[in-house]
Amino acid sequence: MKKLLYLFFLFIFPLSMFSQEKVEGIIYDEGSGNAKTPLLGANVYWLNTEVGTVTDFDGKFSIPYTKEYQQLIISYIGFKADTIVVTNPKKKIKVSLAPKSNLDEVKVVSRKRATSRSYIEAKNVINVSSDELLKAACCNLSESFETNPSIDVNFADAISGTKQIKMLGLTSPYILIAMENIPNVRGASQAYGLTFTPGTWVESIQITKGAGSVVNGYESIAGQINAELQKPTKDDQFFLNVYGASSERLELNTHYNTKVSDKWSTGIYLHGNSHQKEHDVNHDNFLDMPKYHQINVMNRWQYTDTESGFVGFFDVRFLDDHKQTGEVNFDPDTDKLTTNAWGSEIDTQRYEFSGKLGYVDPDLPWRSAGLQFAASSHQQDSYFGLRTYNIEHNSIYSNFTYNSIIGDSRHKIKTGISFTYDKYEELVETSSFERVDNSVGAFFEYNFDNLEDLNFTAGMRVDQHNRLGVFVTPRVHARYTPWEKSAFRASVGRGKRLANIFAENQNLFATSRNINVIASAEGDIYGLDPEIAWNYGVSYLQGFNLFNRKADVTFDFYRTDFQNQVVVDWENPNQVSFYNLKNNSYANSFQTEVSYNILEGLDARLAYKYYDVKTKYQSGEKIKPLTAQHRFFANLSYETPIKNNSKWKFDVTYNWLGKQRFPSTESNPEAFQMPEYSPTVATMNAQITRVFSPKFEIYAGGENITNVRQRNPILEAENPFGSNFDTTFVYGPIFGSMYYAGIRYRIN
């Protein structure tokens, strides 16, 4: 541990952009009227030169100037390009670009956040804004996706209260989940890691469907989720969120940010939650939700040197998380690992250090470099009934990236190298597993943007892994705009990963099933081969006006083909089996969304999703269990006009899930057999927020207000040490309705 902590502070880290130029300005959307909406990503370059840049989130730019430079070209997809003659380089330039056809981003307001899709990016990225994330009453990262139709959220089992997410019909291990583009929820943290990041710490989230960028690694198969954290210089000086629920869940979030010097700023972020009430609504003698408490602290430092072009972020985090669940009368002091009563405790301590340092050449702003570094120590000690599961995971990650252009700013390149190190020590009941994984990789990514109708990104990386050998990961994305307010997208990419079968499937320990690992001839990770898959996707986005109100429609289709998959086979009710299966597993995902601005401040959003996810198990080809083939989503959101700095916000979200296949229980005694499919499930959530001023607001709402409950989620709950005990047959809510209220206070 001391060596790891020493490494924490030995390195420095990655990517951001900052510099001071001799000509500065801001670019607006002329079509936004008096509101003057800034344009993010507008191209700015000197005529007949290779010197160029793009505007930031606030529409601002800065670009080097010499007396030879006279004409500045400004362009943006869907807008008329403009040429500015610069005679006074010290005067700030303000330019409003006229839209060719009122082209705009798609903006959709949902219960917990506003989401947007860009017409101009090659990747199919859904951006989640910081303002709407604050509408989540008490969310951690796993709860941030409950109202996003692109992400499925469900409970992993009937006792732990842990929520798992799916994208394109595949569970979270197939999604690369990162914090500021550093892979974070992986390895030992795969099962519970999404609950380790409080929602108020998150500034924004980017969800990439399908193949992601090669810059972030080779493990992504279904997509990538990246969370950007609050920045000390942009976050509130002081922020407080206090939350309480009818379940007696309590939560506190507070931030404090201050400027230390001209170049250094720092922030302290504190999160705590607690739930100690015993609930057994369905009277099966098991807690419907665990008792728990968590302390989560982060100290974040930001360094900014505008003159030399450096900016950096450095974070130190500590987490202590404790969960207790099981039978109502379980007492860990007397009943732990005995048959007195069935119970479980999961204790996790996690230390993290991460940082990134970015540099932009002050004279050539299109040339930049970034260094990322992260190190973590994760220790989980847990037991489930009579079963013990402990895991220690020490990890190091580093990534160096160089950005430049070829000829002009239409041709951009990224290249760099990365290094990962992971050491695992696991105790599974009485068996120990130890291993060290490390890899070194190099990547190159080219982006072409003709500033009009075509954006194309092609990337490839080559990695040398101590277990996987040398392998290549290619990924391609393209966007084509044939007519106004439209975007056709296509992508293809390959992913490869090692399955941590126990850390990723901890719900298996809360069953009486035997664990059966069927080793392959050459596999050396629990005797299994790595997983390899190709992902293909197409998407179409079209904006239009309906009765003089903005609307848009999106169609997505993605297919994942596994060349090799580690199958988790639940089809024998007395065991769970892990084995490799080649070329017989696929996941098809189709989704369509429609959004419409009905009235000023009133937005509606509808979505339908269809999954066809099948695997050829040893018992034959079957639909993936507990995955609804059909899902319908609806959201209605309304904000009143601002009066005296105050307003009301209203959000209602409806989710309907079709029937889900249960794993086979045919060989069980009749009393413990499940039907082939679950019933359909429909839930509704609502929230009201009263904003009194920019400093103070209160909110109240309800989850599952129609009180839908799965009445018997645990098989053989009356005999938890019997041969048919199983907590994994969960298809819907267990607890029923839950109501909450809270306050937010901030000092800017």
Side-chain angles (χ1 to χ4, degrees), residues 26-39 58 94 96:
I26 184 168
I27 311 300
Y28 295 107
D29 173 6
E30 183 180 286
S32 60
N34 294 331
K36 288 209 168 188
T37 302
L39 287 177
D58 299 316
K94 295 182 180 180
S96 295

Side-chain angles (χ1 to χ4, degrees), residues 339-369:
T339 57
N340 297 339
W342 197 99
S344 171
E345 289 186 290
I346 305 168
D347 290 323
T348 304
Q349 284 196 337
R350 183 176 175 89
Y351 302 86
E352 292 183 51
F353 174 73
S354 63
K356 57 184 188 178
L357 182 67
Y359 169 75
V360 177
D361 190 326
D363 298 319
L364 301 171
W366 39 263
R367 180 185 297 168
S368 64

Side-chain angles (χ1 to χ4, degrees), residues 615-680:
T615 297
K616 191 172 182 180
Y617 298 97
Q618 291 181 334
S619 56
E621 185 178 83
K622 298 179 185 293
I623 298 171
K624 187 175 181 179
L626 296 172
T627 300
Q629 286 190 290
H630 303 276
R631 178 186 175 187
F632 177 75
F633 166 94
N635 172 262
L636 194 65
S637 133
Y638 177 66
E639 292 189 14
T640 63
I642 298 175
K643 293 183 179 180
N644 299 321
N645 289 323
S646 63
K647 63 180 177 179
W648 288 91
K649 298 179 181 180
F650 303 89
D651 293 271
V652 179
T653 300
Y654 173 81
N655 273 289
W656 178 86
L657 297 177
K659 63 182 184 180
Q660 304 172 51
R661 188 183 74 83
F662 285 124
S664 175
T665 54
E666 290 181 356
S667 61
N668 275 353
E670 185 175 353
F672 306 120
Q673 290 182 4
M674 301 290 289
E676 185 177 1
Y677 287 93
S678 74
T680 62

